[in-house]
Amino acid sequence: MEEQKGLELKNMLSNDSVIILALRNYRVGYFNGKLINITTATTLHINPTFPEAELLTLRGKDPLLVVLFVAETIHIDGKYSRMTISSICEQMSIKLETIQTTLLAILRFVNVTDQNFYYAACPLIVNGRPCKKKCTQQVDDSWFCSRCQMTMQDCNYSYLLPLKLQDATSTLWATAFDEGSIHLLHKTAKQLCALQNDVTTTKTTSSVIKRLLSCHYSFTLLVSNEAYNSETKMKVTVNKVAHVDFKAECHALLVETGRLSTQA
């Protein structure tokens, strides 16, 4: 691609031509601006003939005009909107408010190797809901909750599960608490912890996680910006995980294609 497409682009630039690039399966990065990186799976077309490219040509010789045309937001039967990872990162770099969105992505990695995917949580009920505040273990093996100001003989366990998500535009790290993790694993944190410490069973935590990887899921995300050590970092929380309804996905793509054809 570097030799063939690169030489073609070089010749076009020397002629001061307007160039429209259409990319598929590329990666977007952010370092002093937006970076577009190609991979072995990238498809690159120079000056394609579809109507959107012709519309850009009519806009003249802009120094750099990037239009993310690939399904940044899709409406599924009017029920919810979905964003890509690159569009989430771009929106959060401009706006500071918290957003809730749906993401269709592959589960690339689940970090359970260092046993930090759960924590000891308070099981007491506060205002009709479990407290879930992190408990500290005392010398006598009891547990103390600073929120409830109570000591108990046993604790519960809650998820703090790091997930790496990937779609066609980029990758994203997110944290799943009980709500998202139980939807994904179909086990409570206490059950998974017991499985990890059980030496009598052949079923391991790794085997439970392995069957989930490289599968498509619909993730409901809560995304916000948080200040930490004078830096603003994006915090992504998984509220819900669901299997993809491919019938609905195909229907949505057909609707989007029809809409674009009508606009053309």
Side-chain angles (χ1 to χ4, degrees):
M1 186 177 295
E2 179 183 0
E3 294 176 354
Q4 298 176 0
K5 300 290 186 180
L7 180 60
E8 184 178 350
L9 286 172
K10 183 178 179 181
N11 294 332
M12 295 178 70
L13 286 172
S14 63
N15 296 328
D16 198 24
S17 303
V18 175
I19 303 173
I20 304 297
L21 299 182
L23 296 97
R24 181 180 179 184
N25 292 332
Y26 60 91
R27 291 184 178 179
V28 178
Y30 296 88
F31 181 76
N32 293 332
K34 180 179 291 185
L35 303 175
I36 297 179
N37 303 314
I38 63 173
T39 68
T40 54
T42 301
T43 302
L44 172 64
H45 294 285
I46 301 175
N47 289 339
T49 57
F50 52 77
E52 288 74 23
E54 295 175 0
L55 180 62
L56 292 179
T57 305
L58 296 175
R59 296 188 59 169
K61 300 178 181 180
D62 291 335
L64 176 62
L65 181 61
V66 178
V67 178
L68 293 179
F69 169 69
V70 185
E72 293 263 333
T73 304
I74 291 182
H75 298 277
I76 306 296
D77 295 333
K79 295 179 181 178
Y80 64 87
S81 62
R82 188 177 70 222
M83 300 174 69
T84 62
I85 293 177
S86 63
S87 58
I88 291 173
C89 295
E90 184 174 10
Q91 181 167 336
M92 296 307 295
S93 66
I94 300 174
K95 301 179 180 180
L96 299 179
E97 67 266 17
T98 300
I99 63 172
Q100 182 171 345
T101 184
T102 304
L103 170 69
L104 179 64
I106 292 174
L107 183 62
R108 182 57 63 194
F109 181 67
V110 181
N111 187 10
V112 295
T113 54
D114 50 5
Q115 298 186 2
N116 65 342
F117 62 92
Y118 62 91
Y119 66 93
C122 176
L124 300 179
I125 303 299
V126 178
N127 296 328
R129 301 183 61 183
C131 173
K132 292 189 178 181
K133 177 72 175 178
K134 187 175 182 179
C135 295
T136 55
Q137 192 170 19
Q138 308 298 303
V139 179
D140 59 354
D141 290 336
S142 62
W143 298 87
F144 177 75
C145 174
S146 58
R147 179 184 179 185
C148 299
Q149 289 295 310
M150 293 189 65
T151 301
M152 59 211 76
Q153 295 302 315
D154 196 9
C155 68
N156 202 351
Y157 291 96
S158 290
Y159 278 112
L160 189 66
L161 194 63
L163 307 176
K164 186 176 184 181
L165 315 179
Q166 179 179 345
D167 67 2
T169 63
S170 188
T171 59
L172 180 71
W173 278 99
T175 301
F177 294 94
D178 277 350
E179 292 79 3
S181 299
I182 294 176
H183 278 116
L184 181 66
L185 298 171
H186 303 290
K187 292 181 182 295
T188 64
K190 193 168 187 177
Q191 290 172 334
L192 197 64
C193 180
L195 178 63
Q196 190 176 44
N197 297 326
D198 189 356
V199 296
T200 63
T201 181
T202 57
K203 190 175 183 180
T204 62
T205 305
S206 299
S207 64
V208 173
I209 299 300
K210 187 177 180 179
R211 64 182 177 83
L212 305 175
L213 300 181
S214 300
C215 295
H216 285 86
Y217 297 94
S218 176
F219 297 93
T220 302
L221 305 178
L222 188 66
V223 189
S224 60
N225 284 319
E226 291 191 350
Y228 181 76
N229 289 340
S230 302
E231 294 183 3
T232 301
K233 294 186 177 181
M234 189 171 66
K235 179 183 178 182
V236 184
T237 302
V238 178
N239 286 342
K240 187 177 179 181
V241 182
H243 290 283
V244 178
D245 185 348
F246 288 102
K247 183 178 180 180
E249 291 296 319
C250 292
H251 175 71
L253 291 175
L254 288 173
V255 171
E256 289 292 310
T257 304
R259 181 181 62 83
L260 294 173
S261 300
T262 303
Q263 291 178 353

